[in-house]
Structure formats: C-alpha cells, structure tokens
Amino acid sequence: MFERLREDIQSVFDRDPAARNTFEVLTTYPGLHAVIVHRMAHGLWKRNFKWLGRAVSNTARWLTGIEIHPGATIGRRFFIDHGMGVVIGETAVIGNDCTLYHGVTLGGTSWEKGKRHPTLGNDVVVGAGAKVLGPIEIGDGARIGSNAVVVKPVPANGTVVGIPGRLVERRTKRDTAHREKLARKMGFDAYGATEDAPDPVANAINCMLDHVHVLESKMSRMCEVLKSMGYTEEDVDLPELASCEIVSTADELSRLSGGDDDTVKSDESADQ
C-alpha cells in the first residue's frame, strides 16, 4: 500500500513541474486523492461490498470533482492532472504510467451489460477534454489530443486528434528541396519548408508547390523544344515578390480598427 502511495506521489513530481514538495502534493492534489480513494473503493467492489464501494467513490467525487467507478481497473503510477470533470466508467481498464488531464471521459456507447468502456495500454496520455468512448483499445504509448473524440481503436504509439478522432501518421521521408526552392521563388516562407505534419493548410500548400514544380518542369521542356524549332523567347520583366507575411487576427483587427478611425476622422474633417 505504502509502496503504491510513494509511486503515485513520485509520478506527480515526474509529470507536473508545479509540484514543489511531498506535503503539498499529499494535501492539495485532487488527482492523487481520487486515485487513493479509488484503490479503497475498488478493493471493496472486488470483495462484493458493492454499495459501500459506490458510497466511497461518490464521496471522492464530491470532494475532488473526479468520478471513477469503483469497478474500473487502474494500473500503477496513474496521474490525473487538475482532474475536474474526469469521468472513468465501470469497465474501463487503465494500464501503468498513464496520464489524464481535466475534462477527460472514458465512457461507454451502449446500455448493454458487459465490457463497454475503453482499455488504455501503458504510458497513454489523454489530453484535456478528450472523450474516449466504447470498448476500444488504446495501444501502449498512444497520445490523444485535447478535445478529441475517439471511437475507434488506436495503435501503439499513435496520435489521435480532432472530432471524430483521426490518426496522425508519420509520412515517409521525401525530397522537399523543390518545395523550398519554389517557396523562396514565390516569396512564401510560412509553409513552404514545413515538415510533414497534420496541418491541413500546410499540406494543401505543399501539394500546390508540388503541382507548380511539375508544371514548371513541363514548361521548361516545352520552351526547349520551341527554341530548337527556331522560336525566339521574348524578355519579360516580372515584378519581384516580397516574402509573404501571415498577420495574426489581433494585429489584423487592430490595423482595420485603426483604418476605420482614420476614415471617421477624414469624414469629420470633410464635414467641417
């Protein structure tokens, strides 16, 4: 029992840089309190003291804002950061070294008896507000992004984001030198040299750069063929493109509001 408690306290220090000393962790961390009380409630539940286990669990819910059904199975070094609004269902299974943030739900999608809640492997991290629903398996080392809604199994070391949850896969390495060259030529730096990432805007722009690269290659070959046939290319002066800057919403609104003020002032001057 005391060994488990030492492990739980150490897991707080390992995963929360705000933790300062053991006394503070023991007295002010609701996630730790909820885990300690759950171990008591789970012991009562397994010994067939169902009502008493539920009563102990409900008391912890009032005190911590974290609801863990006494039937849930939780491994070692489990850490709930902040914790408010966390709900863990009866048939949920959580492995060792897992971390949950506030607002997480490990819930069910059926009213049928039996296994209806998720199973988390070891070293799983579930971000704030995420919902993991149904009797699905989350593989070891998986990461679930904040506010994601996961209803399908997640492989080991996978990362899931979005609603509904989508698996972010690492793409194979490829030559992106032509992307960087085109991005510089077009005066665009924000996404041109971006690593492959789950950013839809970056992905769309990278696809456009690939398309432009193919078009430029074909145009170059066409020009070479035309020149071999006696075509004389005319010199065309193209304006230089400065580097493109993406303005934040706050800056843009400030600029627009400043422009509106100037317009109002000019209108007042005209009236006078």
Side-chain angles (χ1 to χ4, degrees), residues 5-15 25 77:
L5 181 59
R6 282 195 294 270
E7 285 184 349
D8 291 335
I9 293 173
Q10 186 58 46
S11 69
V12 176
F13 286 110
D14 291 341
R15 300 176 223 174
V25 170
R77 299 174 295 278

Side-chain angles (χ1 to χ4, degrees), residues 27-142:
T27 55
T28 64
Y29 273 68
L32 178 63
H33 302 158
V35 171
I36 293 172
V37 175
H38 170 74
R39 301 201 191 283
M40 298 168 51
H42 185 64
L44 293 169
W45 185 267
K46 289 196 301 183
R47 291 169 177 78
N48 211 32
F49 294 103
K50 307 291 187 183
W51 181 89
L52 188 56
R54 288 299 301 268
V56 171
S57 174
N58 207 37
T59 301
R61 179 189 177 213
W62 289 343
L63 296 174
T64 65
I66 300 169
E67 181 173 345
I68 308 177
H69 193 285
T73 303
I74 296 178
R76 303 172 79 99
R77 299 174 295 278
F78 175 54
F79 177 49
I80 303 176
D81 198 0
H82 298 291
M84 180 62 69
V86 168
V87 177
I88 301 175
E90 176 188 4
T91 61
V93 178
I94 300 175
N96 299 326
D97 302 297
C98 291
T99 304
L100 267 60
Y101 289 86
H102 52 281
V104 168
T105 299
L106 303 184
T109 56
S110 171
W111 291 345
E112 300 293 331
K113 297 286 187 181
K115 176 68 172 171
R116 58 191 186 279
H117 297 98
T119 297
L120 273 59
N122 299 325
D123 193 32
V124 174
V125 177
V126 185
K131 315 300 177 189
V132 187
L133 307 175
I136 59 177
E137 292 191 6
I138 310 299
D140 295 348

Side-chain angles (χ1 to χ4, degrees), residues 213-232:
H213 172 66
V214 173
L215 290 177
E216 282 204 343
S217 299
K218 289 185 176 181
M219 289 293 293
S220 296
R221 288 197 294 269
M222 289 173 61
C223 288
E224 290 175 1
V225 172
L226 289 173
K227 286 180 180 179
S228 66
M229 298 172 62
Y231 170 75
T232 303

Side-chain angles (χ1 to χ4, degrees), residues 257-272:
S257 62
D260 293 342
D261 292 341
D262 293 340
T263 303
V264 172
K265 290 179 181 178
S266 63
D267 290 342
E268 290 178 352
S269 300
D271 292 339
Q272 291 175 356

Side-chain angles (χ1 to χ4, degrees), residues 190-211:
Y191 290 103
T194 301
E195 297 274 345
D196 284 330
D199 186 331
V201 177
N203 183 58
I205 293 177
N206 283 334
C207 290
M208 291 170 61
L209 292 174
D210 290 340
H211 188 67

